[in-house]
Amino acid sequence: MSHKMPKGPDFFVRHRMLLEQAEAATEHRDHWTPYPESPSKSLYGEDAAERGEAAFRSRINARFELPGHPRDGWVASGETSPYGFPLGVIYPRITPDVAVAAAKEAVPAWRGAGPDVRAGVAAEILARLNAASFEIAHAVQHTTGQAFVMAFQAGGPHAQDRGLEAVAYAWSEQKRHPASARWRKPQRKGGPLVMDKRFTPVGRGVSLLIACNTFPTWNSYPGLFASLVTGNPVVVKPHPGAVLPLAITVRIAREVLAEAGFDPNLVVLVAEEPGDRSAGFLALHPDVRIIDFTGSTEFGDWLEANARQAVVYTEKAGLNTVVLDSTDDYQGLLGNLAFSLALYSGQMCTTPQNLLIPREGMATDQGVRTADEFAADLAAALDRLLADPARAVGTLGALVNDGVRERLTQAEQLGRTVREAVRVEHPEYPAAEVRTPLVARLDAEADQKTYAREWFGPVFFVVGTDSTEHSLRIFEETVRTHGALTAIVHSTSEEVLKTAEEAALDAGVHLAENLTGGVFVNQSAAFSDFHGSAANPAASATLSDPAFVTGRFATLQSRRPVTVEEPAHV
Amino acid sequence: MSHKMPKGPDFFVRHRMLLEQAEAATEHRDHWTPYPESPSKSLYGEDAAERGEAAFRSRINARFELPGHPRDGWVASGETSPYGFPLGVIYPRITPDVAVAAAKEAVPAWRGAGPDVRAGVAAEILARLNAASFEIAHAVQHTTGQAFVMAFQAGGPHAQDRGLEAVAYAWSEQKRHPASARWRKPQRKGGPLVMDKRFTPVGRGVSLLIACNTFPTWNSYPGLFASLVTGNPVVVKPHPGAVLPLAITVRIAREVLAEAGFDPNLVVLVAEEPGDRSAGFLALHPDVRIIDFTGSTEFGDWLEANARQAVVYTEKAGLNTVVLDSTDDYQGLLGNLAFSLALYSGQMCTTPQNLLIPREGMATDQGVRTADEFAADLAAALDRLLADPARAVGTLGALVNDGVRERLTQAEQLGRTVREAVRVEHPEYPAAEVRTPLVARLDAEADQKTYAREWFGPVFFVVGTDSTEHSLRIFEETVRTHGALTAIVHSTSEEVLKTAEEAALDAGVHLAENLTGGVFVNQSAAFSDFHGSAANPAASATLSDPAFVTGRFATLQSRRPVTVEEPAHV
């Protein structure tokens, strides 16, 4: 490359073994993670928790400084903690045009650095994000409403896992072809034709990350790191309700980039006030060539239809489905399902919504349970799980925003409630809006319009069907039409499981089976489980796989004849 | 899989070593091919040439039978040989809806077969296509106008190379993740959480192949085989002017599929009369989920804008460019370039059009040659190359259709001709329209509108610029805006070559340097050179790389708990 390599610490050498392990993990798909999920002192250090909380507190009601970041003023995002207080953070203001131009200018040296250097820088960013997990956890808790331990895990180490996974795929795919090769074509007469060829991975262009309110880091890190490692600068556009976790992320990324000798504007933050429309402007900018989006089906569809100059990776809404046929562990099923529904008040894109069960019931180790009986049993299991308010808030978290609250009110007005969503007093944050799940009892035929749309939040439908066959048909049709990120079937029959697996392949959704223990359908493990399938309307991306990274770069080739070939080195 | 595996010969076992070699070749990028490019008896058999010609002759003025193919009548494509006679072949008629439905019905068993079986079947199809290379060569010659040897090479073994390359990538990417994995997550207390996971590659849906007039097999095989091996049925829609080479291909593919026990409708032919609009109807069919297209920018852009339900891989028009700075082998340069321009009368998507040279000239081993002198020298080199009509027709072939003829007339009317396109009498086919290249002398500033669009055919522009720096700027700007499939620079200065390489990376085009011998800029070698970069407007695809196959399938996952884990095998 003609670009002079920037000077700085050799992060690739530092992290090479980690990268190789991560790449191997994507191939083996056993459990693997370098970032401990437990917020324990023995793992993160004696005072990590305290320092993280102090760092978070110091950000409240203050300007968030990003050294060297372009800025034409300051903007208040208006973030409010779902636990009941305004964050009052002020961020640099920047117009879409300036953001894209600054990002674009940073490209040449980054392109010249090559995949190894880029992967090394990314791994260092992740190491520092991991060290900041407590600070990020508080920022995630107070923008999303997640309970602290979940905010730590999903916002910290699990998000970092997904980031590293994207780094591994991006690094691996760029190494799929050699940096150079010698081509020798034998000729009938005389010596061979000989050419030297060079292959250079080149990023597609400025990458735009449009993040969501509920998982600002977890859903963003794959796109952020996939783009960065494939040679693209990234403009980060957080949801106005959850800026802080990504501002901290951007700050750390810029620090590492600058230390490594690169232009920190390879990662730029566009914070906005609620009601600003910068996402739409950014998405149509001709220099924006990659978009990662998590959010509503409406805006995701708009992006896919209008941002034609870019490759667009979306995660939108869906109808996550449970098919209940039979079980030999009914209590395990109820406990597992109750926790899946209660966790973060159903505000996960992976939480099941529609529970399909034959009206006449499912066979269990405690006898046949009709659809009505199952709905009552599930309600009771939720009551048991959430009986103690102090423990309940640790599972439920708080409702993220008014949209979820309004949807809950709508669900109540359906008049089919089996279990009410009751308010839980948070011992620490009395103003927090904490609600338990609402379970309603619907019918497959009569209520099709109700359950065939997403009710994001703690709203769950026990849907009575004619039979398991009928349930599987509804499952396949609704998921193929409306999408889903997860699905689960409970059956003791190998034949039903096989049929469900075929239905899931037809519908294009990943399937979990017979979860009754400590693994939950709404949780996926990086390096082993795919998140999203890109095979149904809920998502055009998986986080991550090769398809998630190959569209972000091209391998450009140059070739020149070798006139006098030196003898091969022996 | 719940589908019973079809019975038939085990083509995977037969071709496994070939597939492994092909996969390795995509990684090493040295010269490699299993299909000899020379139409010699020692390689293809004593009577292969005769049998191939006889097979072709037997197709003329006859019904083209496709056993088991859906059909509601017969259609005459109206194919006419550019060498001056109608082919008179009659093909099965089929409506777009019936074609897509038949293809879709064939999917389940093909999905259940898995990547190995699919790759084995594809390799067998390619082996039989290779054996039919002479028949296909005649069909290609008399639909495209290519001279026989070129029709043999580009339509036969080189197309088969590109097909096998796509098979290798498709097979490889589907093996990127294991078919199954056991996941063990250690717990603080008690034994680990254990899950068994299965990963199944699933095709995206019906694949539509819209082929072109000039390279019906070479440009089609990558998409055809990439889709087939990733589990998708393929609807083949040939250009009305070049149906026969693909009809032969479809026939062979269907034979092998049926022998292997699969539904032959995994590959369906939609032949049409000129003026039919089946491509547009097919492209918008909701079940068509993949489109491969080679042809005009206009229709390619329409597909990208309108076929929103599909992933669309296009190869469109571009401005292939030569940058002339300096050379130490001027005669080699002229000879190499003259052949590049003359080959198939410039009707290759890879033929250079714009030759950028400083008005004041380039340094050569024969002194400085001004732009005017270079244009005259190039004209003289073309004269020498094409002096003998019998040999000239073997290089030039015939003009493929009226569009090219009309463009040539337009170019003549520019009034800037340095070398006229003269008619050459074909010794064997007196009615063939054979024309030598037209060279016109343009100016970078004054004639920008003329050279900044594609003149597909034997029309070439020597464009005078201010300097090499100016040439490189025009190169970068025109290619970034209008696209290109190839580019070449001639320079003795390592610095200029480096600058040109950076310009090519910026423009997103592959670059050849200093070609003066037996390698030509318009020829690319499968397994070593990429065709197209997907990094400029000329093409959204390379034929082939991982990005060309990863969008054609999803890897769907199922997982279930392992309750009683057996001890690991030692």
Side-chain angles (χ1 to χ4, degrees):
Chain A
M1 297 277 76
S2 65
H3 293 286
K4 239 173 98 184
M5 277 301 304
K7 278 195 178 173
D10 195 333
F11 293 128
F12 178 64
V13 168
R14 186 180 298 177
H15 296 292
R16 179 173 202 150
M17 220 154 79
L18 176 78
L19 292 166
E20 284 167 356
Q21 288 175 336
E23 190 182 18
T26 65
E27 283 160 18
H28 301 143
R29 308 206 82 74
D30 191 359
H31 169 76
W32 185 79
T33 170
Y35 309 120
E37 69 181 359
S38 166
S40 88
K41 291 182 180 179
S42 64
L43 295 163
Y44 281 88
E46 199 57 40
D47 60 347
E50 247 168 66
R51 281 192 295 110
E53 185 165 2
F56 169 70
R57 294 283 161 212
S58 76
R59 305 245 178 246
I60 299 296
N61 298 317
R63 278 188 177 171
F64 194 98
E65 301 280 353
L66 285 172
H69 196 280
R71 171 172 63 78
D72 68 2
W74 296 92
V75 61
S77 72
E79 292 160 288
T80 302
S81 170
Y83 292 92
F85 58 91
L87 298 197
V89 192
I90 311 292
Y91 302 94
R93 180 199 295 277
I94 177 174
T95 64
D97 277 347
V98 171
V100 173
K104 200 181 170 191
E105 253 177 52
V107 167
W110 191 238
R111 178 173 87 193
D116 287 352
V117 170
R118 291 194 293 263
V121 168
E124 177 65 18
I125 295 171
L126 283 161
R128 297 197 198 177
L129 287 171
N130 183 245
S133 289
F134 280 93
E135 179 187 355
I136 292 171
H138 287 284
V140 169
Q141 175 179 15
H142 290 294
T143 48
T144 68
Q146 291 174 27
F148 179 77
V149 172
M150 182 176 177
F152 181 89
Q153 295 189 334
H158 290 173
Q160 294 145 20
D161 281 341
R162 286 289 179 195
L164 183 61
E165 188 184 42
V167 171
Y169 278 111
W171 184 53
S172 178
E173 288 299 323
Q174 289 175 96
K175 294 185 304 170
R176 176 71 169 77
H177 301 117
S180 63
R182 180 158 288 189
W183 176 87
R184 285 181 199 79
K185 182 175 180 179
Q187 297 297 290
R188 287 197 165 189
K189 298 172 200 165
L193 295 172
V194 185
M195 301 280 287
D196 271 351
K197 308 191 177 186
R198 294 237 314 260
F199 302 94
T200 308
V202 174
R204 192 177 158 88
V206 176
S207 188
L208 170 63
L209 175 64
I210 306 174
C212 68
N213 199 350
T214 45
F215 288 89
T217 59
W218 195 96
N219 269 100
S220 296
Y221 285 2
L224 170 65
F225 284 100
S227 278
L228 209 50
V229 174
T230 50
N232 305 284
V234 183
V235 173
V236 177
K237 214 299 287 169
H239 189 283
V243 181
L244 188 55
L246 285 173
I248 296 169
T249 301
V250 167
R251 190 187 157 100
I252 288 172
R254 292 172 58 88
E255 273 170 17
V256 174
L257 286 162
E259 262 181 58
F262 294 100
D263 185 340
N265 288 337
L266 285 165
V267 181
V268 170
L269 181 76
V270 179
E272 60 176 4
E273 290 168 14
D276 282 3
R277 289 269 167 267
S278 59
F281 287 110
L282 283 163
L284 300 182
H285 195 295
D287 287 332
V288 168
R289 304 300 311 283
I290 303 167
I291 299 176
D292 288 278
F293 167 75
T294 312
S296 72
T297 296
E298 192 187 353
F299 194 57
D301 287 347
W302 182 87
L303 286 170
E304 291 173 8
N306 292 284
R308 308 300 317 286
Q309 83 290 355
V311 286
V312 180
Y313 303 92
T314 59
E315 188 197 306
K316 300 173 289 189
L319 301 178
N320 303 319
T321 301
V322 183
V323 173
L324 297 154
D325 172 69
S326 52
T327 182
D328 54 15
D329 181 7
Y330 189 54
Q331 286 311 315
L333 181 159
L334 290 170
N336 183 283
L337 191 55
F339 183 78
S340 295
L341 305 187
L343 185 62
Y344 188 28
S345 287
Q347 297 169 121
M348 301 176 72
C349 53
T350 49
T351 308
Q353 170 182 301
N354 295 335
L355 321 181
L356 308 179
I357 178 171
R359 289 178 207 95
E360 317 240 301
M362 67 186 292
T364 82
D365 53 328
Q366 300 177 11
V368 172
R369 307 298 291 172
T370 66
D372 289 335
E373 287 166 345
F374 166 75
D377 293 341
L378 179 64
L382 284 163
D383 291 345
R384 276 195 304 278
L385 177 70
L386 305 169
D388 171 24
R391 290 182 55 199
V393 297
T395 302
L396 295 167
L399 299 192
V400 63
N401 56 32
D402 291 342
V404 176
R405 264 189 292 272
E406 284 157 21
R407 216 167 293 117
L408 204 45
T409 308
Q410 279 176 36
E412 283 161 357
Q413 289 163 355
L414 291 172
R416 310 291 282 276
T417 303
V418 174
R419 184 188 186 285
E420 283 181 11
V422 295
R423 194 167 185 285
V424 179
E425 184 85 15
H426 197 295
E428 195 180 344
Y429 301 103
E433 183 77 34
V434 183
R435 299 285 288 271
T436 66
L438 179 150
V439 179
R441 176 73 177 82
L442 300 184
D443 185 78
E445 302 297 343
D447 302 310
Q448 210 263 341
K449 278 193 182 158
T450 303
Y451 69 79
R453 63 186 178 92
E454 194 194 42
W455 294 68
F456 186 79
V459 176
F460 306 101
F461 300 129
V462 174
V463 181
T465 68
D466 298 345
S467 61
T468 293
E469 201 193 328
H470 187 205
S471 297
L472 286 172
R473 204 163 62 238
I474 292 172
F475 159 56
E476 191 186 321
E477 284 169 9
T478 52
V479 172
R480 202 186 316 154
T481 311
H482 304 285
L485 287 168
T486 62
I488 176 167
V489 57
H490 280 276
S491 180
T492 56
S493 154
E494 199 57 45
E495 204 186 316
V496 169
L497 292 176
K498 288 282 168 210
T499 309
E501 285 170 11
E502 288 294 318
L505 295 182
D506 285 336
V509 68
H510 304 305
L511 182 70
E513 302 173 9
N514 294 335
L515 298 183
T516 53
V519 174
F520 303 94
V521 65
N522 31 353
Q523 293 182 328
S524 69
F527 298 101
S528 185
D529 298 322
F530 297 111
H531 175 76
S533 64
N536 71 56
S540 71
T542 62
L543 318 176
S544 306
D545 68 358
F548 187 65
V549 302
T550 54
R552 297 175 196 261
F553 72 100
T555 302
L556 291 172
Q557 176 189 343
S558 66
R559 52 178 171 154
R560 59 168 79 171
V562 178
T563 39
V564 183
E565 196 177 12
E566 286 168 25
H569 295 281
V570 183
Chain B
M1 298 277 75
S2 64
H3 293 287
K4 239 173 100 184
M5 279 301 302
K7 276 197 180 174
D10 194 331
F11 293 128
F12 178 64
V13 168
R14 186 181 297 177
H15 296 292
R16 178 173 203 151
M17 220 154 79
L18 176 79
L19 292 166
E20 283 166 358
Q21 287 175 337
E23 189 182 20
T26 65
E27 282 160 19
H28 302 143
R29 308 206 82 76
D30 191 0
H31 169 76
W32 185 78
T33 170
Y35 310 119
E37 68 180 359
S38 167
S40 89
K41 290 181 179 178
S42 65
L43 294 163
Y44 281 89
E46 200 56 41
D47 59 348
E50 248 169 66
R51 280 190 296 111
E53 184 166 1
F56 169 71
R57 294 284 160 212
S58 77
R59 305 247 178 244
I60 300 295
N61 298 316
R63 278 188 178 171
F64 193 99
E65 302 280 353
L66 284 172
H69 196 281
R71 172 174 62 79
D72 68 2
W74 295 90
V75 61
S77 72
E79 292 159 289
T80 302
S81 170
Y83 292 92
F85 57 91
L87 297 197
V89 192
I90 311 292
Y91 301 95
R93 181 198 294 279
I94 177 174
T95 64
D97 277 347
V98 172
V100 173
K104 199 180 169 190
E105 252 176 53
V107 166
W110 191 237
R111 178 173 88 193
D116 287 352
V117 169
R118 292 194 292 263
V121 167
E124 177 66 17
I125 295 170
L126 284 161
R128 297 196 197 178
L129 288 171
N130 182 247
S133 290
F134 280 94
E135 179 187 357
I136 292 171
H138 288 284
V140 168
Q141 175 178 16
H142 291 294
T143 48
T144 68
Q146 292 173 25
F148 179 77
V149 171
M150 181 176 177
F152 180 89
Q153 294 188 336
H158 289 174
Q160 294 145 21
D161 281 341
R162 286 289 179 194
L164 183 61
E165 189 185 39
V167 171
Y169 278 111
W171 184 53
S172 179
E173 288 299 325
Q174 290 175 96
K175 292 186 304 171
R176 176 71 170 77
H177 300 118
S180 63
R182 179 159 288 188
W183 178 86
R184 285 180 199 79
K185 182 175 179 180
Q187 297 297 291
R188 288 199 165 188
K189 299 174 200 164
L193 294 172
V194 186
M195 301 280 288
D196 272 351
K197 308 190 176 186
R198 294 237 313 259
F199 302 93
T200 308
V202 173
R204 191 177 158 88
V206 176
S207 188
L208 170 64
L209 175 64
I210 306 175
C212 68
N213 199 350
T214 46
F215 289 89
T217 59
W218 195 96
N219 270 99
S220 296
Y221 285 3
L224 170 66
F225 284 101
S227 278
L228 211 49
V229 174
T230 50
N232 305 284
V234 183
V235 173
V236 178
K237 212 301 285 172
H239 189 284
V243 181
L244 187 55
L246 284 173
I248 296 168
T249 302
V250 168
R251 190 187 157 102
I252 287 172
R254 292 171 59 87
E255 272 170 17
V256 174
L257 285 162
E259 263 181 56
F262 295 101
D263 184 340
N265 288 337
L266 284 164
V267 181
V268 171
L269 181 77
V270 179
E272 60 174 4
E273 291 169 14
D276 281 4
R277 289 269 167 266
S278 59
F281 286 110
L282 282 164
L284 300 183
H285 195 295
D287 287 332
V288 167
R289 304 298 313 280
I290 303 167
I291 300 177
D292 288 278
F293 167 76
T294 311
S296 71
T297 296
E298 193 190 349
F299 193 57
D301 287 347
W302 182 87
L303 286 171
E304 290 172 9
N306 292 283
R308 308 300 318 289
Q309 83 290 357
V311 286
V312 181
Y313 302 93
T314 60
E315 187 197 305
K316 301 173 289 189
L319 300 177
N320 303 319
T321 302
V322 183
V323 173
L324 297 154
D325 171 69
S326 52
T327 182
D328 55 14
D329 180 6
Y330 190 53
Q331 287 310 314
L333 182 160
L334 290 170
N336 183 284
L337 191 54
F339 183 78
S340 294
L341 306 187
L343 185 62
Y344 187 29
S345 286
Q347 297 169 120
M348 299 175 73
C349 53
T350 50
T351 308
Q353 170 182 300
N354 295 335
L355 322 180
L356 308 179
I357 178 171
R359 290 176 205 97
E360 317 241 300
M362 68 187 290
T364 82
D365 53 327
Q366 300 177 14
V368 171
R369 307 299 289 172
T370 66
D372 289 336
E373 288 166 343
F374 167 76
D377 294 342
L378 179 63
L382 284 162
D383 291 345
R384 278 195 304 279
L385 177 71
L386 305 169
D388 171 24
R391 289 184 54 199
V393 298
T395 301
L396 295 167
L399 300 191
V400 63
N401 57 32
D402 291 343
V404 177
R405 265 189 293 272
E406 284 157 21
R407 216 167 292 119
L408 204 44
T409 308
Q410 280 176 36
E412 283 160 357
Q413 290 164 354
L414 291 172
R416 309 290 284 276
T417 304
V418 175
R419 183 187 188 285
E420 284 182 5
V422 297
R423 194 166 186 287
V424 180
E425 183 85 15
H426 198 295
E428 195 181 344
Y429 300 103
E433 183 77 35
V434 183
R435 298 285 288 273
T436 66
L438 178 149
V439 179
R441 176 71 178 82
L442 301 183
D443 185 78
E445 303 297 344
D447 302 311
Q448 209 263 342
K449 278 195 182 155
T450 303
Y451 68 80
R453 64 185 178 93
E454 194 192 43
W455 295 69
F456 187 79
V459 176
F460 306 101
F461 300 129
V462 174
V463 181
T465 68
D466 299 345
S467 61
T468 293
E469 201 193 327
H470 187 205
S471 298
L472 287 171
R473 205 164 59 238
I474 292 172
F475 159 56
E476 191 186 319
E477 284 169 10
T478 52
V479 171
R480 202 183 318 151
T481 310
H482 304 286
L485 287 167
T486 62
I488 175 167
V489 58
H490 280 276
S491 181
T492 57
S493 154
E494 199 58 43
E495 205 186 315
V496 170
L497 292 176
K498 288 282 168 212
T499 310
E501 286 170 10
E502 287 293 319
L505 296 182
D506 285 336
V509 68
H510 304 305
L511 181 71
E513 301 173 12
N514 294 336
L515 298 183
T516 55
V519 173
F520 303 94
V521 65
N522 31 353
Q523 293 182 330
S524 69
F527 298 101
S528 185
D529 297 322
F530 296 110
H531 176 76
S533 64
N536 71 56
S540 71
T542 63
L543 318 173
S544 307
D545 68 358
F548 188 64
V549 302
T550 53
R552 296 174 197 262
F553 72 100
T555 302
L556 291 172
Q557 176 189 341
S558 65
R559 51 178 172 154
R560 59 166 82 169
V562 178
T563 39
V564 183
E565 196 176 14
E566 287 169 24
H569 296 282
V570 184

